[in-house]
Amino acid sequence: MMMQVAQGRDRQAFALLFRYFGPRLKTFFLRWTISSAVAEDLVQETMLTVWRKASYFDAGRAGVATWIFTVARNIRIDHLRRQRDPSALPADPEGSPDTVEDGLLGAERDAQVRQALKTLSPEQQTIIRLSYFSEKSQTEIADELGIPLGTVKSRTRLAMNRLRALLEDRS
C-alpha cells in the first residue's frame, strides 16, 4: 500500500494505511500524556506528512511501520519544542518489545550502534553522546565543552557519516 501511495498517489491505499495506523498512532501519542484532542491532531499531521513524503519511503532501509512511527516521533518532538518548554520533553517510555523477535533485533541493533560508537574519536563520541543520549542542542554542547558551534556541527556531521557507513556495512 505504501508503494502505491508513493508511486501513484493512490487515495484508497492511503485510506487503508490511515485506517490501520491511525489508532496505533493515537495510542503512541497518548503514551506521553498528550490530551486526546492533541493526539488526534498529531495523528492527522503524521499521516499528512506520510502522504506528502511517501516518495521518500525506502523499503530497503525500514519497514512501513518503522518509517511511519519515525515520522510520528519527529512530529511529537516538534510539537513539544513548539511548546517552548524544553523541560517538558519526556523520556521515551520503557516499554517491552512487542515480540521476542523485536527484542532480539533491538538488542542486536543496540550492540551494533555501541560497537560503531567505539570507532569514533573521543571528541566525536562525546558530542554524539551529549547530542543523542543527553538530548542537548548543539549550542548547549558548544557552551559545555567550550568549543565553537561550527566545530560541534562538523564533528557531529563527520561522526554521523562514519556511523552511517559502519552500520550500513553491517546490515
Side-chain angles (χ1 to χ4, degrees), residues 10-126:
D10 186 325
R11 291 176 186 260
Q12 288 179 324
F14 180 74
L16 290 172
L17 279 174
F18 196 103
R19 197 171 309 129
Y20 180 80
F21 283 104
R24 288 161 180 78
L25 289 168
K26 185 174 180 182
T27 301
F28 173 79
F29 289 123
L30 288 172
R31 281 186 190 165
W32 286 278
T33 65
I34 297 174
S35 74
S36 183
V38 171
E40 288 174 10
D41 288 344
L42 294 177
V43 168
Q44 294 288 327
E45 188 176 343
T46 299
M47 293 308 291
L48 181 60
T49 301
V50 167
W51 174 260
R52 286 185 193 146
K53 296 188 176 187
S55 62
Y56 291 108
F57 172 70
D58 179 1
R61 297 190 75 160
V64 173
T66 301
W67 188 76
I68 289 175
F69 278 95
T70 299
V71 170
R73 177 187 169 273
N74 292 338
I75 285 174
R76 176 184 64 92
I77 290 169
D78 290 345
H79 169 76
L80 293 171
R81 285 183 179 154
R82 284 191 299 263
Q83 302 304 307
R84 302 264 184 223
D85 185 7
S87 65
L89 285 171
D92 286 337
E94 295 293 328
S96 60
D98 293 334
T99 66
V100 173
E101 182 182 5
D102 290 341
L104 291 173
L105 291 173
E108 181 180 324
R109 182 182 59 244
D110 290 349
Q112 289 176 344
V113 170
R114 276 192 216 88
Q115 190 62 35
L117 278 170
K118 290 178 184 177
T119 67
L120 299 177
S121 71
E123 296 84 7
Q124 290 175 338
Q125 285 182 27
T126 300

Side-chain angles (χ1 to χ4, degrees), residues 138-159:
Q138 291 180 328
T139 303
E140 292 171 326
I141 294 169
D143 291 342
E144 183 174 320
L145 298 178
I147 59 177
L149 179 59
T151 302
V152 172
K153 290 181 179 201
S154 52
R155 285 182 185 167
T156 301
R157 181 180 47 79
L158 291 169

